[in-house]
Amino acid sequence: MKYDSTNIFGQILRGEVPAFVVDEDEFTLAFMDIMPQARGHTLVIPKEPAVDIFDISEKVLARLVLQTRRIAVAVDKAFEPDGVSIVQLNRSAAGQTVFHLHFHIIPRWNRGELKQHGAIQSSSKALENNAQLIRKNLKE
Ligand code: AMP
């Protein structure tokens, strides 16, 4: 599949669609998933256009993975879940719905099922509060 820059994350990267941003660096952007599967569900994407993990330069993938872990540390501190899932889907058959590479960081609790994938939108207030909490726990 060829990268199509009109996808929603491409629009977020260009500032055409707002996002609840947690952090940004030269290579990556981290923001809240607006249809979280659990409180604190965060996405980390490369700025480089890439459909999936097979489509990205090794240099940026390395930065993306390191940044995903850095954000996951902050998510872990912010929400103190029992566990943290880091998930990345490639192609429709695997459940990918947005065709710009991304890592999901999903806090997990022993009690409580995950909400359905990409189904129920959270309130702006909750998303902004959660983004703020993660930002507070981010190490330089
Ligand atoms: P995937 O199925 O792995 O491609 O995941 C795409 C994710 O993007 C889903 O979890 C959606 O809830 C999320 N999503 C879709 N649109 C937006 C948006 N505008 N801002 C933030 N997250 C989004």
Side-chain angles (χ1 to χ4, degrees), residues 4-77:
D4 175 358
S5 65
T6 61
N7 76 78
I8 189 74
F9 295 168
Q11 293 177 51
I12 287 173
L13 281 173
R14 290 191 297 276
E16 294 164 6
V17 166
F20 298 90
V21 173
V22 168
D23 195 41
E24 180 171 10
D25 66 15
E26 190 183 345
F27 298 101
T28 68
L29 182 70
F31 54 93
M32 303 313 296
D33 193 305
I34 54 165
M35 291 170 272
Q37 290 188 261
R39 181 167 178 246
H41 184 167
T42 307
L43 300 170
V44 190
I45 70 172
K47 291 185 174 174
E48 180 178 308
V51 175
D52 58 24
I53 203 156
F54 306 111
D55 190 34
I56 186 133
S57 68
E58 288 190 350
K59 178 186 164 192
V60 176
L61 177 60
R63 295 294 294 253
L64 180 62
V65 170
L66 288 173
Q67 177 69 341
T68 298
R69 186 178 66 169
R70 179 170 167 267
I71 304 289
V73 167
V75 168
D76 201 23
K77 281 190 193 151

Side-chain angles (χ1 to χ4, degrees), residues 8-9 12 17-20 31-37 41 43 87-91 94-104 106 116-121 127:
I8 189 74
F9 295 168
I12 287 173
V17 166
F20 298 90
F31 54 93
M32 303 313 296
D33 193 305
I34 54 165
M35 291 170 272
Q37 290 188 261
H41 184 167
L43 300 170
V87 182
Q88 190 275 314
L89 308 174
N90 300 286
R91 305 199 289 269
Q96 184 177 10
T97 58
V98 177
F99 297 96
H100 182 115
L101 172 61
H102 50 281
F103 282 89
H104 295 261
I106 310 175
Q116 209 184 318
H117 183 64
I120 306 159
Q121 193 159 335
L127 292 166

